Amino acid sequence: MPAENPVVGLAQLDRETVDHRFKALPPDAEGLTVGELAAQRRNLFTGGFTTPVLALSAESLEHNLALLETYAERHGLAFAPHGKTSMSPQLFARQLERGAWGITAAVPHQVRVYRAHAIQRVFLANELVDPVALRWLAAELDRDPEFRFVCYVDSVRGVELMDEALSAAAPSRPLDVVVELGAGGTARTGARGEADCTAVADAVAAALTLRLVGVAGYEGEVPDATSERVRDWLRRLVALAASYDKDGGFADTDEIVVSAGGSAWFDAVADVFAEIPELSRPVLKLLRSGAYVSHDDGHYKHLTPFNRVPEEGALEPAFRLWAQVVSRPTPHQAFANAGKRDAAYDLDLPEAQVVRDPRTGAVRPATGITVTGLSDQHAWIRTDDEAQLEVGDWVGMGLSHPCTSFDKWQLIPVAEADGTVTDYVRTFF
């Protein structure tokens, strides 16, 4: 039986009741459905929202989705953005509408979320050896003949464990796998060299429950990464695919998957994948960058490939965290009511960008205002002599690292430039 239509799944999200589970939403909206609240088009600043409140820019989201769609098309790439960034079925649907081949996952729970919202193509950029998850996956593949799933393998032992669990489940079709080439001796997962990769591929060929469909890896783990080193590793990955193809390793598949691409080096991936020689079957050149959907004001702002290729466009940071100044104990110190429970802080602290006067609605630059630390529920703010800041002001902050921003909020308002909230993004972490 095929999975439900994605539109049905999103409609179910609209019918969810607004209540105490969701931070910052207007108290007087309790009992409404999410869809009903969105239809009211309340203003983020005057519509009853409480602080702190995280918002996504409607305009920047649309810009970023469109930019990666055209980038992938221009470079002949298929695109399976990593869903772990947002874990939002609504954003997945928009990515698929923008031409994404499927959605990438990292762990079995994420795959379950995807399937609950009818994602038909999933690339698991990780090894999968959990027998319980493999049995569930076998049942899901049997339940829906249209469901396409691909995952990493990087060891002979991993292949043995997969084959053992799947043999017990007796699926009606084999599970598609790609051999993961590690990015170096100190990198994360992945077979450490071509000989190890070949041993894994041979083990897959001997397992009746698995089918080798390609090669993959993550160039973001290349040690001391430079453009040259990343491209060298990517060429090794391409050569590995060509070698397996020459030896008949992909005889059982209709297309060969070659996949890489985080959010820092997708320009290198595009360049090297353009060099892939003609193989015995069509090649699915699969890019997996995920952070682009919201971008950020820190980590990815500095790392994005668009800094190197500005003629290709530029991503826009979509997040802004609004917190209220609750204490101004000294002329050079203030505290706002957002902390580690609300803001990403694993890579960089939030960046104070603007201040909104709640009496007039006027917004001014956050001149002389710096976030110096976070407690669980407070932002520590240093103010210079020129800073204009008083108790009650709203401070708008940019965040660094989308993955650890989304995961702190279950329902995120999507606001237009004037503050009108047009939608609410549900997350499932």
Side-chain angles (χ1 to χ4, degrees):
M1 169 180 168
E4 64 175 333
N5 185 287
V7 175
V8 175
L10 297 183
Q12 289 174 343
L13 296 179
D14 273 351
R15 292 194 290 270
E16 192 163 13
T17 301
V18 173
D19 57 26
H20 62 276
R21 293 170 296 161
F22 305 121
K23 297 192 292 185
L25 298 193
D28 66 351
E30 182 147 348
L32 296 176
T33 67
V34 173
E36 289 169 342
L37 180 57
Q40 292 183 354
R41 295 177 64 85
R42 296 197 185 196
N43 187 277
L44 186 70
F45 307 108
T46 61
F49 293 86
T50 63
T51 56
V53 57
L54 180 68
L56 282 161
S57 162
E59 294 86 356
S60 294
L61 276 179
E62 179 59 26
H63 170 84
N64 294 342
L65 289 164
L67 181 59
L68 258 290
E69 177 188 24
T70 57
Y71 183 88
E73 288 177 349
R74 187 160 54 246
H75 291 280
L77 300 169
F79 192 29
H82 212 315
K84 71 177 175 63
T85 298
S86 71
M87 286 306 295
S88 168
Q90 292 144 291
L91 294 182
F92 298 162
R94 292 181 66 178
Q95 289 169 317
L96 292 167
E97 289 168 1
R98 287 292 191 170
W101 171 90
I103 305 294
T104 294
V107 293
H109 160 71
Q110 293 168 359
V111 182
R112 291 189 63 198
V113 172
Y114 298 3
R115 292 300 291 158
H117 294 89
I119 303 301
Q120 288 295 88
R121 291 172 176 166
V122 177
F123 186 97
L124 184 73
N126 205 348
E127 281 66 33
L128 179 58
V129 297
D130 181 337
V132 175
L134 284 162
R135 289 195 295 271
W136 171 83
L137 184 60
E140 194 70 5
L141 288 165
D142 283 348
R143 185 182 71 83
D144 184 0
E146 301 302 314
F147 175 38
R148 176 84 193 276
F149 178 87
V150 182
C151 74
Y152 283 177
V153 288
D154 76 347
S155 69
V156 172
R157 176 57 177 158
V159 171
E160 291 171 351
L161 290 170
M162 294 180 77
D163 189 42
E164 180 180 333
L166 291 169
S167 294
S172 60
R173 53 182 168 131
L175 190 150
D176 289 347
V177 297
V178 291
V179 173
E180 183 192 6
L181 172 65
T186 59
R188 204 162 54 191
T189 55
R192 287 306 192 242
E194 281 76 0
D196 290 339
C197 286
T198 298
V200 174
D202 289 344
V204 171
L208 297 179
T209 62
L210 302 177
R211 180 174 69 157
L212 183 66
V213 298
V215 298
Y218 175 48
E219 77 290 341
E221 286 289 313
V222 170
D224 302 316
T226 63
S227 181
E228 182 179 354
R229 287 182 179 138
V230 168
R231 282 172 167 79
D232 285 345
W233 178 82
L234 287 164
R235 290 188 179 100
R236 287 176 59 201
L237 185 69
V238 169
L240 200 64
S243 175
Y244 292 165
D245 186 51
K246 182 179 178 181
D247 293 339
F250 300 126
D252 295 331
T253 183
D254 294 330
E255 66 180 1
I256 299 168
V257 179
V258 182
S259 179
S263 295
W265 292 103
F266 56 74
D267 58 331
V269 174
D271 290 346
V272 175
F273 280 11
E275 303 170 0
I276 294 177
E278 184 175 348
L279 302 180
S280 65
R281 284 152 179 76
V283 178
L284 183 72
K285 304 173 183 179
L286 195 62
L287 184 69
R288 306 192 306 270
S289 314
Y292 83 96
V293 68
S294 66
H295 198 46
D296 72 4
D297 279 296
H299 185 68
Y300 288 108
K301 176 182 179 180
H302 300 301
L303 290 183
T304 175
F306 288 117
N307 292 338
R308 295 186 291 271
V309 287
E311 67 276 9
E312 298 255 27
L315 294 168
E316 298 177 357
F319 273 129
R320 180 161 282 174
L321 176 66
W322 290 95
Q324 197 165 25
V325 177
V326 295
S327 179
R328 191 81 160 91
T330 75
H332 294 101
Q333 190 176 39
F335 292 89
N337 62 348
K340 293 179 180 178
R341 305 298 175 89
D342 313 297
Y345 61 93
D346 55 317
L347 296 178
D348 302 286
L349 289 170
E351 174 189 84
Q353 296 177 329
V354 295
V355 177
R356 185 180 188 277
D357 186 327
R359 292 168 296 195
T360 67
V363 176
R364 61 183 182 271
T367 305
I369 299 170
T370 305
V371 177
T372 60
L374 295 177
S375 299
D376 280 355
Q377 309 287 183
H378 290 91
W380 293 60
I381 295 174
R382 183 184 70 241
T383 55
D384 297 341
D385 291 339
E386 73 271 27
Q388 301 177 50
L389 195 67
E390 64 178 349
V391 171
D393 285 347
W394 286 38
V395 180
M397 294 179 274
L399 301 179
S400 178
H401 199 187
C403 300
T404 50
S405 298
F406 276 106
D407 70 0
K408 293 173 174 57
W409 297 81
Q410 293 184 66
L411 200 60
I412 305 172
V414 178
E416 295 179 340
D418 65 356
T420 302
V421 176
T422 59
D423 199 3
Y424 296 83
V425 165
R426 183 73 158 93
T427 66
F428 292 87
F429 285 94

